[in-house]
């Protein structure tokens, strides 16, 4: 299908109910070679190569267009993907015929052209071209085209990773992530899994009242065994739509990880779960930075004080710069209104970070403490508590989905329920 440039998130005005965010699944480890005719397209492809979704791809860019590609592959094997820029119809079709004589079987071709014509598109498809992108292109157009080559377009998008991290220790990021995941599963009816990445001190098992014998540590320390069946055995079922990949929360070993330690786990979860919520501990290491940058959406949880403001802004700025083709991270304020504690107002946070918080969750130690000690979610403690609506707001913003419609109750509903229970 011909791809067209789309309006970016930064260009869209903020609204109470933002449109559904486009989800582009990351590309696998593939080799990509681009042959460009203009410096503008070369710059867009170069920028695309720095996008997190092409982080595993090996990208090489050359100038010279079709002629350079044909010449290059006379004596060299072709990569997994060839990106070609062409200005004309005749040169393009003739060049593709020549390229076919030196192109290895299985190589996919993406053409960037300036002619918007259905007849040309049919000719390209007949010659085996995988995608035709209309110039001028932006980085996200290139990312979308390459990534979509490796995902079935008719399949439901899966594997949306949501990372939740605290701007400072003790701000309640884990509590927020667990309750938001509960809202995603219960109110949005999405199958979701919570991955507790704080292997030494994780609280997801306690919050969901689960004590599984195995969890994420078994996967991280046995990367060669990680596959769909292995991960399924490690998951603990919390509800019909919510599962848990629990942390051992023990100190019998030291949890020092390499930068890519969790890659196999995340890749496997992406292939089986529509939504993965990462509960990321408050620490700064190679693997936590990689997990945040590689996530589809990010929520930063901060308390209303100066240290949280500084840390939240540092995180926000770094992640925004590292993910130029994604929407900026979201953030929320938690534990707002602690008695006798001086606080920085939400407006000051918004001014410094240049973004409004999704929600401001009030400090209510009674209900949050009871939920934590009972191994329950806030919705289980008090079905009408105001924070539940806030968790749903966060869930909707992070997933781009609206609340599933519930059947309207009538005056006879309680009686009908009683009769059903007999």
């Amino acid at each position: 299908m011909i791809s067209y440039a789309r309006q970016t998130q930064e260009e869209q005005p903020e609204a109470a109910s933002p449109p559904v965010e486009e989800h582009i699944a990351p590309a696998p480890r593939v080799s990509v070679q681009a042959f460009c005719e203009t410096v503008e397209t070369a710059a867009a492809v170069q920028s695309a190569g720095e996008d997190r979704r092409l982080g595993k791809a090996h990208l090489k860019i050359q100038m010279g267009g079709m002629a350079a590609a044909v010449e290059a592959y006379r004596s060299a094997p072709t990569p997994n993907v060839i990106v070609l820029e062409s200005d004309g119809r005749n040169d393009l079709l003739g060049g593709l015929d020549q390229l076919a004589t030196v192109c290895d079987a299985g190589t996919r071709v993406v053409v960037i052209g300036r002619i918007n014509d259905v007849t040309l598109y049919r000719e390209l498809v007949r010659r085996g071209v995988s995608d035709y992108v209309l110039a001028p292109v932006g980085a996200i157009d290139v990312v979308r085209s390459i990534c979509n080559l490796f995902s079935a377009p008719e399949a439901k998008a899966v594997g949306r990773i949501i990372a939740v991290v605290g701007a400072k220790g003790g701000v309640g990021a884990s509590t927020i992530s667990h309750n938001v995941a509960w809202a995603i599963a219960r109110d949005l009816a999405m199958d979701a899994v919570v991955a507790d990445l704080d292997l030494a001190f994780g609280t997801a098992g306690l919050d969901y009242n689960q004590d599984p014998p195995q969890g994420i540590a078994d996967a991280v320390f046995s990367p060669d065994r990680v596959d769909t069946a292995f991960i399924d055995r490690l998951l603990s079922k919390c509800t019909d739509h919510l599962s848990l990949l629990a942390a051992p929360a023990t100190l019998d070993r030291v949890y020092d990880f390499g930068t890519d330690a969790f890659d196999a786990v995340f890749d496997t979860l992406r292939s089986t779960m529509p939504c993965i919520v990462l509960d990321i501990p408050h620490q700064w290491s190679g693997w936590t930075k990689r997990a945040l940058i590689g996530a589809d959406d990010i929520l930063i949880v901060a308390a209303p004080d100066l240290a949280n403001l500084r840390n939240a802004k540092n995180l926000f700025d770094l992640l925004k710069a590292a993910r130029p083709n994604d929407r900026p991270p979201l953030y929320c304020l938690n534990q707002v209104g602690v008695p006798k504690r001086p606080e920085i107002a939400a407006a000051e946070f918004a001014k410094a970070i240049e973004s409004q918080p999704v929600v401001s969750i009030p400090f209510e130690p009674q209900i949050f403490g009871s939920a934590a000690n009972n191994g329950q979610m806030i919705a289980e403690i008090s079905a009408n508590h105001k924070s539940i609506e806030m968790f749903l707001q966060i869930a909707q913003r992070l997933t781009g989905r609206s609340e599933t419609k519930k059947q309207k109750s009538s005056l006879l509903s309680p009686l009908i329920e009683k009769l059903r229970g007999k």
Side-chain angles (χ1 to χ4, degrees), residues 154-195:
E154 70 278 2
K156 181 182 178 182
V158 298
R160 191 184 193 104
I161 289 184
I162 295 169
V164 182
V165 66
K168 190 170 176 286
V171 297
S174 291
T175 298
I176 300 300
S177 66
H178 304 162
N179 279 276
V180 168
W182 183 273
I184 291 172
R186 189 192 69 164
D187 300 319
L188 305 185
M190 290 179 66
D191 287 329
V193 60
V194 174

Side-chain angles (χ1 to χ4, degrees), residues 122-421:
R122 287 171 179 165
E123 283 295 320
L124 295 177
V125 170
R126 193 171 64 84
R127 283 170 166 79
V129 170
S130 300
D131 194 14
Y132 180 69
V133 187
L134 194 62
V137 295
I140 193 63
D141 300 309
V142 179
V143 171
R144 183 189 301 112
S145 181
I146 295 175
C147 289
N148 285 348
L149 296 178
F150 302 94
S151 60
E154 70 278 2
K156 181 182 178 182
V158 298
R160 191 184 193 104
I161 289 184
I162 295 169
V164 182
V165 66
K168 190 170 176 286
V171 297
S174 291
T175 298
I176 300 300
S177 66
H178 304 162
N179 279 276
V180 168
W182 183 273
I184 291 172
R186 189 192 69 164
D187 300 319
L188 305 185
M190 290 179 66
D191 287 329
V193 60
V194 174
D196 190 344
L197 304 186
D198 190 350
L199 271 69
F201 305 107
T203 59
L206 296 175
D207 286 351
Y208 291 120
N209 197 24
Q210 299 285 326
D211 188 20
Q214 294 179 301
I216 194 167
D218 298 271
V220 176
F221 289 111
S222 304
D224 296 338
R225 298 177 59 194
V226 173
D227 57 20
T228 301
F230 183 62
I231 292 294
D232 283 344
R233 289 198 299 270
L234 301 181
L235 293 177
S236 176
K237 196 79 170 176
C238 299
T239 69
D240 288 343
H241 290 290
L242 183 63
S243 299
L244 170 64
L245 195 54
T250 59
L251 303 179
D252 55 351
R253 66 196 305 174
V254 175
Y255 302 109
D256 290 332
F257 301 122
T259 301
D260 58 354
F262 289 89
D263 284 7
V265 178
F266 296 163
D267 290 345
T268 305
L269 287 173
R270 276 188 186 276
S271 67
T272 58
M273 279 287 181
C275 186
I276 303 102
V277 179
L278 305 183
D279 181 4
I280 298 182
H282 179 72
Q283 64 182 69
W284 196 242
S285 60
W287 71 265
T288 55
K289 180 180 179 181
R290 184 181 180 91
L292 285 168
I293 292 176
D296 295 294
D297 286 285
I298 303 165
L299 176 69
I300 301 169
V301 180
D305 62 34
L306 185 60
N308 275 274
L309 175 57
R310 179 201 64 186
N311 295 353
K313 179 168 175 55
N314 286 343
L315 278 170
F316 192 91
D317 291 345
L318 180 142
L319 293 170
K320 187 176 179 181
R323 299 152 46 86
N325 302 313
D326 291 89
R327 66 172 175 176
L330 304 177
Y331 76 98
C332 72
L333 296 179
N334 191 32
Q335 302 172 352
V336 175
V338 174
K340 299 183 180 180
R341 181 183 71 176
E343 295 181 347
I344 296 176
E348 293 300 317
F349 258 83
K351 182 178 180 182
I353 298 179
E354 299 180 345
S355 177
Q356 294 290 334
V358 183
V359 296
S360 293
I361 303 173
F363 176 68
E364 297 194 52
Q366 183 67 40
I367 188 166
F368 278 86
S370 296
N373 289 336
N374 293 338
Q376 293 178 295
M377 297 292 99
I378 301 299
E380 295 179 288
I381 293 285
S382 176
N384 297 317
H385 194 265
K386 56 187 175 182
S387 66
I388 298 172
E389 182 63 30
M390 296 182 183
F391 296 140
L392 179 57
Q393 283 182 254
I394 297 173
Q396 290 172 326
R397 288 289 301 274
L398 289 171
T399 62
R401 293 200 178 191
S402 299
E403 184 179 7
T404 54
K405 294 182 179 179
K406 301 177 181 177
Q407 288 185 332
K408 293 182 179 180
S409 60
S410 68
L411 294 175
L412 297 177
S413 295
L415 178 59
I416 293 172
E417 289 300 322
K418 286 182 179 180
L419 291 174
R420 285 176 178 171

Side-chain angles (χ1 to χ4, degrees), residues 99-122:
L99 184 63
T101 64
V102 296
C103 192
D104 298 334
T107 295
R108 307 183 188 195
V109 178
V110 174
V111 175
I112 299 174
R114 300 182 183 278
I115 302 173
N116 190 5
D117 179 73
V118 68
T119 303
L120 173 62
Y121 176 64
R122 287 171 179 165

